[in-house]
Amino acid sequence: MIRGRGGIPDVIRYVIDLPLDSRGRAPKIKRQTFIIFAQNGTGSAGNIQLVARDAQILWTPDRDARVRALVREIVRQDAPPTINGIVSAFHVPGTIIGEGETQIFLKTENGQPVSITILSRDGQKKRWAVSLGEIVDEAAKAPVRNSLLWYRLACFLPRDLPFEALEGVSPSNANQARLDYRMVIQDLGNCPRARRADDR
């Protein structure tokens, strides 16, 4: 067991409905090793229930290492919080045409402040970063793909800035904020294991 509460017995039981293979036969899973994500089931000891339809994953060294790395992040006291939406956003143009800064403040499950900053500088590639705190960290960076912070953002941010998040922002600055936000979403890429918040 990589992580869990109360331990597990030597033998566990669960039911999984697997799709048929290309020949219309049930896939052979004997003598294979899997990673499973499950919770305690009902009935006798050892019964567990998978948490999703695709919660049984074929084991590979890379997947094992990735799961263990994510678990280490999850249990840390400073783990990135669950993202529930966007509170507000604004764009401030720079003194030179083409320069500016967009800030987007996120809503989190535990109330921890999280913000995204997108910087545009003359002659430089536009860059963005995430700050986990009250103060915008100038040394912050975009999250590494497949990290916990990447998952929190890529899987649960809406595809577009909500209209209410730009309340009071001028039309030109609001449009630039939307463009910068779309760049962030595109850079994050698709989440393979969960739908975005606005697709639920």
Side-chain angles (χ1 to χ4, degrees):
M1 184 171 68
I2 296 175
R3 180 174 183 255
R5 296 179 181 175
I8 56 173
D10 293 336
V11 177
I12 59 173
R13 295 176 295 274
Y14 63 95
V15 176
I16 184 168
D17 185 11
L18 296 172
L20 301 179
D21 63 19
S22 58
R23 296 175 296 177
R25 299 177 181 175
K28 295 180 180 180
I29 61 173
K30 288 185 177 181
R31 296 186 177 86
Q32 294 193 67
T33 303
F34 295 92
I35 299 173
I36 64 170
F37 302 88
Q39 59 191 4
N40 288 329
T42 58
S44 60
N47 287 346
I48 62 171
Q49 181 180 8
L50 298 180
V51 297
R53 295 181 66 177
D54 56 352
Q56 174 179 285
I57 303 170
L58 187 65
W59 183 93
T60 67
D62 178 66
R63 288 173 180 167
D64 185 278
R66 185 182 302 176
V67 169
R68 291 178 187 275
L70 285 170
V71 167
R72 284 193 294 271
E73 284 194 82
I74 289 170
V75 299
R76 285 174 50 178
Q77 288 189 338
D78 60 347
T82 300
I83 305 298
N84 289 337
I86 296 174
V87 177
S88 62
F90 66 86
H91 174 77
V92 179
T95 55
I96 301 174
I97 295 176
E99 290 193 351
E101 179 176 326
T102 295
Q103 285 197 348
I104 302 164
F105 299 92
L106 308 181
K107 181 181 179 182
T108 61
E109 189 174 73
N110 63 1
Q112 178 183 336
V114 176
S115 61
I116 298 173
T117 303
I118 304 103
L119 291 174
S120 303
R121 295 291 180 261
D122 186 40
Q124 298 180 20
K125 183 181 178 181
K126 188 176 292 191
R127 69 180 187 87
W128 67 278
V130 182
S131 295
L132 303 175
E134 293 280 359
I135 301 173
V136 175
D137 185 359
E138 294 185 2
K141 299 179 180 178
V144 176
R145 186 174 179 84
N146 293 323
S147 66
L148 181 59
L149 180 56
W150 173 85
Y151 168 78
R152 301 287 201 210
L153 299 171
C155 298
F156 297 101
L157 282 177
R159 293 191 184 277
D160 296 296
L161 278 177
F163 178 81
E164 58 272 16
L166 294 163
E167 187 175 354
V169 180
S170 70
S172 60
N173 287 343
N175 184 60
Q176 186 58 55
R178 290 189 186 97
L179 292 174
D180 288 344
Y181 180 77
R182 287 175 190 156
M183 182 206 73
V184 170
I185 294 300
Q186 184 175 6
D187 196 32
L188 283 168
N190 292 326
C191 172
R193 294 193 54 78
R195 291 179 294 173
R196 295 177 185 273
D198 59 337
D199 291 338
R200 291 178 181 176

